[in-house]
Amino acid sequence: MKKIYFAIAALAVMAAACQPEEKKGEVLSPDESKVTLDETLTKAVEMVDVENWQSTAALITDAEAVSQNLETDETVYTWLSTVMQSFNSEQDGISIITYDASKAKGAFTIADNKLSVAESDALTLSATLPSGTVCDADVKIADKGTKVLVDTEYATDEAGNETEEVTGKVYVIVPTSVDATVNAAGQKALGVNLTTKLNLAGEAPTPTDTYEATAKVTSGSYTLAVTRAKYSPTEIVVNSEFKYGKTTVFAASLSAKGNVVFTEGEPDLAKTSGKVNTSIKILNDVELKGDADWTKLSQYVGTPIDTEENAKAIVAVLEESVNLTLYIQKTAQAKLGFEVVVEPGSTDWNILPVIRFEDGSAYQLPEEFFSEDGFPKTIEAINNLVAGIDALFAPTSESQPLE
């Protein structure tokens, strides 16, 4: 039995040892890095192919044409008056207005250039566009949310000055979720999803409260999403991505933990402490990743760059506190740095960011490294994209090339 266990263990060790290591690229020269960056950025831009937006552009153009000649039926004014009345109430002699979008229910219809609405337990819209395309939209707004005070009205004295007597309050219900879908010719053309989570200490929002949200927009094969956004005085997080099908074209994340200090309701950057981590990734081939120690940086907030000594002191703390690395195919290629420069014949000191490569060379950002000559394919791809979008919405106009 011991021999069997030994054989199994030996096979497991051999299997682990034989697993292929994650493939990494090689350290590139600055010129080689430019070529690779140019190719990757070009590929990312070209994934936003305007041909995939033909139907969406036609839908937007048609909808705009409808709105220009649209007339409003009397039923819409009646509906609007009813909804506004549902927002009004009174409490202890104080006028209360509570805007609650979940109360807006109705079946809207556009026909013969006229907008009308009928009673419904949902919020929908149906229309036949000039092109003959039949569209319908459905919006679902959660009937649960956070009540937020946005305005307070006070009585005035004979001189017209406000007193401490409250006469009215205005609230907004921030729903926990909003889902909207637009269908054209029986197929989904656009989808929007929003979620919120607010944790307020009182009626009115303050900088010390906690806020969370997500957002997602889908159109055809494209998805643009903020998968997480959170703010509190001790943590800030933002994660976002842009996808074409299952391919992540662009992804960015930022997280900061520490303590945001407020003075008279405004962030006091000189007293705020913490550490920031960030990552920007393009097609999983290029990544800019690193961190910054704001606790060290905060001591130089407000320091004037009026002498060489001050400039060098700030550069020293920037070099020590900011760590941002460029990776190409998971291999570190260059780091962000900072240098003190002064224009010839001038006494004005400047601090400029530079990109430092593994071979010891450095280039000022953005002009020296991200020049038009260094990224010709990317510039051409962006110009083609702009021209394509311009042609979709204004076929007769002349597009402006990227400078």
Side-chain angles (χ1 to χ4, degrees):
M1 182 65 69
K2 288 184 179 180
K3 290 183 179 180
I4 294 176
Y5 285 143
F6 179 79
I8 294 174
L11 288 171
V13 171
M14 290 176 62
C18 292
Q19 288 294 320
E21 295 183 2
E22 186 178 19
K23 185 178 179 180
K24 292 187 176 182
E26 59 180 343
V27 176
L28 305 175
S29 69
D31 287 340
E32 290 171 333
S33 294
K34 278 187 179 182
V35 170
T36 305
L37 284 171
D38 192 25
E39 291 175 349
T40 302
L41 292 171
T42 299
K43 189 186 301 183
V45 173
E46 288 178 344
M47 281 192 169
V48 189
D49 190 345
V50 293
E51 291 187 2
N52 296 325
W53 298 85
Q54 294 279 359
S55 58
T56 303
L59 182 62
I60 294 173
T61 303
D62 265 5
E64 184 182 4
V66 169
S67 65
Q68 290 177 351
N69 302 310
L70 190 64
E71 296 180 5
T72 304
D73 188 80
E74 187 63 32
T75 57
V76 177
Y77 295 109
T78 302
W79 173 87
L80 183 60
S81 176
T82 302
V83 171
M84 292 302 294
Q85 287 178 9
S86 72
F87 296 157
N88 291 291
S89 62
E90 187 176 312
Q91 182 178 353
D92 299 329
I94 297 175
S95 172
I96 305 294
I97 300 176
T98 305
Y99 293 105
D100 185 356
S102 68
K103 292 183 178 181
K105 307 287 187 181
F108 288 83
T109 302
I110 296 177
D112 300 326
N113 290 328
K114 182 171 287 188
L115 176 66
S116 61
V117 61
E119 290 187 8
S120 175
D121 292 331
L123 181 59
T124 61
L125 170 66
S126 61
T128 300
L129 301 180
S131 62
T133 302
V134 178
C135 295
D136 63 85
D138 178 73
V139 181
K140 293 182 174 65
I141 303 174
D143 57 5
K144 294 182 180 180
T146 304
K147 188 176 181 180
V148 180
L149 178 66
V150 295
D151 190 25
T152 302
E153 299 176 355
Y154 298 91
T156 56
D157 57 23
E158 295 180 355
N161 299 315
E162 284 189 350
T163 66
E164 294 182 357
E165 180 186 354
V166 177
T167 60
K169 290 185 177 182
V170 180
Y171 295 90
V172 171
I173 302 294
V174 180
T176 55
S177 67
V178 176
D179 286 285
T181 303
V182 178
N183 298 312
Q187 295 186 341
K188 184 177 179 180
L190 180 68
V192 177
N193 171 262
L194 306 172
T195 69
T196 65
K197 183 180 179 182
L198 311 184
N199 185 9
L200 308 184
E203 288 187 324
T206 68
T208 56
D209 295 326
T210 300
Y211 310 89
E212 294 185 56
T214 66
K216 183 179 180 181
V217 178
T218 59
S219 178
S221 300
Y222 295 98
T223 302
L224 177 62
V226 177
T227 55
R228 189 186 183 201
K230 177 183 179 180
Y231 163 83
S232 77
T234 58
E235 183 181 20
I236 298 174
V237 178
V238 179
N239 296 327
S240 61
E241 62 181 15
F242 175 64
K243 301 181 74 172
Y244 173 57
K246 294 183 179 181
T247 302
T248 301
V249 181
F250 174 87
S253 65
L254 181 146
S255 65
K257 291 187 177 181
N259 184 34
V260 181
V261 178
F262 294 88
T263 301
E264 297 181 355
E266 297 294 330
D268 192 333
L269 298 181
K271 296 179 180 179
T272 294
S273 60
K275 193 169 185 178
V276 181
N277 290 275
T278 187
S279 170
I280 299 174
K281 190 178 294 186
I282 302 174
L283 291 175
N284 209 34
D285 291 329
V286 173
E287 184 176 13
L288 192 63
K289 183 172 65 174
D291 57 68
D293 189 337
W294 186 258
T295 304
K296 294 180 180 178
L297 290 170
S298 63
Q299 60 184 309
Y300 284 91
V301 170
T303 300
I305 310 175
D306 53 358
T307 65
E308 182 180 8
E309 182 181 3
N310 280 356
K312 288 184 175 180
I314 294 173
V315 163
V317 74
L318 283 170
E319 291 278 357
E320 180 184 356
S321 307
V322 178
N323 174 32
L324 200 59
T325 302
L326 171 67
Y327 294 86
I328 296 178
Q329 296 178 348
K330 299 179 173 41
T331 302
Q333 305 290 344
K335 288 182 177 294
L336 177 68
F338 301 89
E339 291 182 357
V340 177
V341 297
V342 60
E343 296 295 332
S346 172
T347 57
D348 294 331
W349 295 92
N350 293 308
I351 297 176
L352 296 180
V354 297
I355 182 169
R356 297 193 182 116
F357 286 87
E358 293 293 319
D359 64 0
S361 62
Y363 302 84
Q364 286 185 7
L365 295 175
E367 291 85 358
E368 278 192 358
F369 186 75
F370 291 104
S371 63
E372 185 174 350
D373 293 337
F375 293 83
K377 293 181 180 179
T378 303
I379 298 296
E380 182 181 4
I382 294 175
N383 281 331
N384 290 338
L385 176 62
V386 172
I389 294 174
D390 196 24
L392 280 178
F393 293 100
T396 59
S397 65
E398 295 182 2
S399 60
Q400 297 296 319
L402 184 69
E403 295 182 353

